[in-house]
Amino acid sequence: MASNLYTNGDLASVPNLEKNLHLLSPHQVEIAKTLLELGQSHLFEHWAEPGVDDDEKRALFDQVTLLNANYPGGLESYIETARELLADSKAGKNPFDGFTPSVPEGDILTFGDDNFIKFEEMGIREVGRAAFVLVAGGLGERLGYNGIKVALPRETTTGVCFLQHYIESVLALQEASYAYNLSQGDQGEKKIIPFVIMTSDDTHARTLQLLESNSYFGMEPKQVKLLKQEKVACLDDNEARLALDPQNKYRIQTKPHGHGDVHSLLFSSGLLNVWHDAGLRWVLFFQDTNGLLFNAIPAAIGVSATRQYHVNSLAVPRKAKEAIGGITKLTHINDGRTMVINVEYNQLDPLLRASSQYPDGDVNSSETGYSPFPGNINQLILELGPYIEELTKTKGGIKEFVNPKYKDASKTSFKSSTRLECMMQDYPKTLPPTARVGFTVMDAWFAYAPVKNNPEDAAKVPKGNPYHSATSGEMAIYRANSHILRKAGVYVADPVLEVFNGQEVEVWPRITWKPKWGLTFNDIKKKVSGSCSISQRSTMVVKGRNVFLENLSLDGALVIDDDGVEEDVKVRVGGSVHNKGWNIEKVDYKDTSVAEELRIRGFRIIKIEQLEKNGKE
């Protein structure tokens, strides 16, 4: 094979590679030939004589083989796509040229009204036929936290981390769906909801360790599947020459490809067909640090089932020009093809201004006070059958983009290497016009409180805009739970304003509950009766499923469980509870004597006195 390559002239300009071909397997020789055809001869120009660095040469081809296998269509497809996108970037081509924007169709839900309750009930019925996919490839470094983000406490009243909350939410949905369908006469066996976590080199081992050391937080290990995302090759120039690692001339530099890889990983894993054969209908994608997202899931799945959406994007009301992508319908002026897609906020305003219908660009509606283009929060519900059909066509690949940083206006060279990237929410870009793509808008207080900014960056956010920090993320959970209980008829005292780590936030009563206590608004309404009140300084933690609040007056700290009680026995809690409670103490994020997960919030909970109730008392 080597002599054929040589006589065909493929190696004439790369004698250093030709001398070392005996080190490579036949398959690797074929890859070498492909690389040369793709203009990648520079990878071998510095190769030493045979007998020198041989292990390093083999290691390069081990890496190339992996890069080739992990990208749909292999390195040939990667490099060809890169050249096209880099040419478009150099030419300044707008990816939305030829498209006119308009507001897509979708549902705007109001928490607690009859329509919302109807969708929640439908969602509980359908959720037993769903699989959940958590995209968790990132570390918490941007937050000032050195662990994996899913290990970060969602809130510090209980210390429950994000991953535990997510798993307990899925288990509670699984139980609720089975119980609902049983009540409707369905005698089928209980369906196990699959739970997939997309990890990366940075997070895989630590995610597995977190699961194993906590007995998978109550899930069966076989219910959880980890899919590790690999990196992609970096690019040195507009010709898409692969970049050598500055630290090792026998390695190609690599960087993350983006969370859009979740689609190709699911496709190549074979899980989608397994789920389809098992009768599943939905795949729900979500990201790692939104502590409120499971509030919205029942109603959102209900919308998907009712509207028969192939794609349903969960969204929140969005202020014009807010730094969050807007869900937009795009129609091509020539062929009329349409797509409903997330348009990043920095692209949306110029796109709107360029159209005759929106000469003022992205502006708030005088009726609602919000932009007509709802804010995308990167939670998608896909119908499984059409999803499999689409990925079968694309081999799991989705539309990519490239974002090179050029040295100067000539755009001939980069400041540093770049790579192709992809985003999970860009999946609809390849769908046919017949695809049913919609969105579901819910209030941000109810569904969206991401934790992604460190204290210093959050403190610089203009007043009135969301901080998206560990501080605001935790306080948003207490605010949401307070609002939900208010809607259920509980008197919950107004919040007070406090400043932590330079961020002014509302401090509501510290109310938390396990997902199994209240998944839907109807669940919670049924468990609250009489005249209940909770003071602003109070803390209430509900751990059990069958806990009922009846004429409760709380001023202090109350922890309630139904541990050790028969499943159908109700634990009733009422009367006046008054104690010294749990206080919030400020901490400075620069104080290294305080644990990172507390430091980045700017406060910690000091537990002075509480009443603990369980069913045995």
Side-chain angles (χ1 to χ4, degrees):
M1 187 176 292
S3 60
N4 286 341
L5 282 174
Y6 186 76
T7 54
N8 288 339
D10 295 319
L11 299 177
S13 62
V14 199
N16 290 351
L17 173 60
E18 192 271 339
K19 293 176 192 174
N20 287 279
L21 279 182
H22 65 282
L23 299 173
L24 308 181
S25 70
H27 176 63
Q28 289 173 331
V29 172
E30 287 301 316
I31 293 176
K33 180 180 177 182
T34 300
L35 287 172
L36 297 187
E37 290 170 351
L38 291 168
Q40 306 296 327
S41 60
H42 67 285
L43 296 175
F44 314 108
E45 287 170 356
H46 63 277
W47 270 30
E49 294 295 312
V52 179
D53 296 336
D54 285 356
D55 287 344
E56 289 293 313
K57 297 166 191 170
R58 292 188 188 96
L60 172 64
F61 267 89
D62 288 341
Q63 182 193 27
V64 168
T65 301
L66 191 65
L67 289 169
N68 191 56
N70 286 331
Y71 185 84
L75 279 171
E76 183 173 1
S77 177
Y78 182 78
I79 291 166
E80 287 173 356
T81 302
R83 284 179 180 152
E84 291 174 16
L85 292 174
L86 286 165
D88 288 347
S89 177
K90 184 178 180 182
K93 185 177 178 182
N94 185 327
F96 301 118
D97 276 352
F99 285 96
T100 57
S102 59
V103 180
E105 292 182 7
D107 285 85
I108 301 174
L109 305 189
T110 300
F111 172 74
D113 68 8
D114 290 344
N115 193 44
F116 180 87
I117 290 169
K118 177 192 74 175
F119 282 128
E120 277 202 325
E121 184 173 309
M122 169 68 83
I124 291 297
R125 189 186 82 183
E126 284 288 316
V127 75
R129 302 168 67 195
F132 284 76
V133 181
L134 167 61
V135 177
L139 295 170
E141 291 168 327
R142 181 177 161 191
L143 290 166
Y145 176 64
N146 284 311
I148 55 174
K149 288 195 283 185
V150 292
L152 191 68
R154 174 177 173 261
E155 38 77 18
T156 51
T157 294
T158 67
V160 167
C161 71
F162 280 101
L163 186 55
Q164 179 177 351
H165 175 71
Y166 296 152
I167 286 178
E168 289 180 347
S169 297
V170 171
L171 289 172
L173 287 166
Q174 182 177 288
E175 290 294 323
S177 188
Y178 176 68
Y180 177 86
N181 289 312
L182 203 62
S183 72
Q184 302 301 305
D186 181 356
Q187 300 298 317
E189 63 180 76
K190 185 183 296 185
K191 288 187 171 65
I192 302 300
I193 294 178
F195 186 63
V196 172
I197 307 173
M198 185 179 84
T199 60
S200 66
D201 285 335
D202 292 331
T203 65
H204 186 85
R206 285 193 262 187
T207 303
L208 187 59
Q209 195 273 334
L210 180 63
L211 288 165
E212 290 180 344
S213 62
N214 289 281
S215 302
Y216 285 76
F217 298 109
M219 266 190 178
E220 292 292 328
K222 64 183 180 183
Q223 190 172 351
V224 184
K225 179 78 172 175
L226 270 58
L227 298 178
K228 186 162 78 76
Q229 172 189 29
E230 301 293 344
K231 295 177 180 177
V232 292
C234 292
L235 308 162
D236 246 348
D237 54 31
N238 285 323
E239 296 305 311
R241 291 185 355 140
L242 301 180
L244 286 167
D245 190 325
Q247 308 302 318
N248 185 341
K249 62 185 179 180
Y250 291 104
R251 294 291 184 282
I252 294 168
Q253 189 180 11
T254 60
K255 290 181 182 177
H257 190 219
H259 47 57
D261 274 352
V262 70
H263 301 297
S264 60
L265 283 170
L266 285 171
F267 178 74
S268 61
S269 72
L271 285 172
L272 299 177
N273 288 323
V274 171
W275 296 344
H276 190 266
D277 292 345
L280 269 58
R281 187 182 175 192
W282 309 104
V283 186
L284 192 144
F285 298 84
F286 63 103
Q287 293 188 288
D288 44 20
T289 53
N290 177 8
L292 298 179
L293 68 95
F294 273 87
N295 286 349
I297 282 172
I301 291 182
V303 169
S304 281
T306 303
R307 307 292 184 226
Q308 297 188 320
Y309 282 147
H310 294 159
V311 180
N312 183 9
S313 294
L314 192 60
V316 295
R318 177 184 158 276
K319 289 289 187 180
K321 301 179 182 64
E322 186 180 339
I324 177 175
I327 297 173
T328 311
K329 182 177 181 179
L330 300 175
T331 305
H332 202 275
I333 55 177
N334 293 331
D335 55 26
R337 71 182 188 274
T338 63
M339 59 181 173
V340 176
I341 195 72
N342 171 70
V343 176
E344 291 302 322
Y345 69 94
N346 57 340
Q347 296 174 317
L348 181 59
D349 189 63
L351 175 69
L352 294 172
R353 288 181 187 277
S355 71
S356 57
Q357 193 175 350
Y358 300 96
D360 297 325
D362 186 22
V363 294
N364 291 323
S365 160
S366 58
E367 294 178 11
T368 66
Y370 288 97
S371 167
F373 299 91
N376 167 57
I377 64 171
N378 268 4
Q379 183 174 309
L380 302 175
I381 303 172
L382 307 184
E383 186 171 6
L384 181 56
Y387 182 48
I388 292 172
E389 289 176 23
E390 178 63 19
L391 293 192
T392 301
K393 294 176 196 168
T394 64
K395 305 301 180 192
I398 62 169
K399 289 288 186 182
E400 294 164 300
F401 63 95
V402 67
N403 187 24
K405 303 294 187 288
Y406 299 106
K407 282 185 178 178
D408 54 43
S410 69
K411 295 185 178 181
T412 54
S413 56
F414 306 157
K415 290 180 181 178
S416 60
S417 63
T418 189
R419 84 286 197 187
L420 298 190
E421 299 178 70
C422 60
M423 296 191 293
M424 179 175 73
Q425 65 270 28
D426 280 350
Y427 162 74
K429 282 187 174 179
T430 58
L431 295 179
T434 53
R436 293 186 294 277
V437 182
F439 63 82
T440 304
V441 177
M442 298 194 205
D443 288 319
W445 69 259
F446 180 69
Y448 188 54
V451 176
K452 53 188 181 183
N453 289 328
N454 64 48
E456 287 181 304
D457 289 343
K460 295 173 187 172
V461 169
K463 190 169 183 179
N465 288 1
Y467 297 116
H468 292 169
S469 66
T471 310
S472 62
E474 177 160 349
M475 291 302 172
I477 291 165
Y478 305 139
R479 176 184 63 190
N481 290 344
S482 294
H483 279 310
I484 292 167
L485 287 186
R486 277 184 169 183
K487 189 73 176 177
V490 178
Y491 171 80
V492 180
D494 288 335
V496 297
L497 290 176
E498 290 280 4
V499 177
F500 303 103
N501 283 345
Q503 303 158 60
E504 186 178 73
V505 292
E506 292 181 345
V507 181
W508 290 79
R510 275 66 66 205
I511 300 169
T512 67
W513 55 75
K514 289 280 189 183
K516 63 184 178 183
W517 184 70
L519 278 171
T520 67
F521 183 51
N522 254 352
D523 286 343
I524 292 164
K525 281 202 303 181
K526 290 173 184 174
K527 292 177 178 177
V528 174
S529 62
S531 177
C532 293
S533 66
I534 301 174
S535 70
Q536 186 278 329
R537 73 177 194 90
S538 290
T539 301
M540 184 174 73
V541 178
V542 183
K543 296 181 177 180
R545 175 181 285 106
N546 291 319
V547 173
F548 289 76
L549 308 179
E550 300 178 354
N551 295 307
L552 171 68
S553 173
L554 175 61
D555 181 43
L558 174 64
V559 180
I560 321 159
D561 205 344
D562 60 3
D563 190 35
V565 176
E566 296 293 329
E567 201 163 303
D568 57 349
V569 174
K570 296 179 179 179
V571 175
R572 302 180 189 278
V573 180
S576 178
V577 176
H578 178 80
N579 55 49
K580 293 178 181 176
W582 296 356
N583 293 343
I584 295 177
E585 179 181 88
K586 293 186 180 184
V587 298
D588 191 321
Y589 75 91
K590 296 177 182 175
D591 184 353
T592 55
S593 69
V594 178
E596 282 179 329
E597 60 265 28
L598 301 177
R599 205 158 69 224
I600 61 174
R601 294 165 203 271
F603 62 86
R604 58 185 162 200
I605 306 292
I606 304 298
K607 300 179 180 181
I608 301 171
E609 185 181 18
Q610 69 277 337
L611 175 65
E612 298 192 34
K613 297 279 288 182
N614 62 54
K616 296 176 183 177
E617 298 171 358

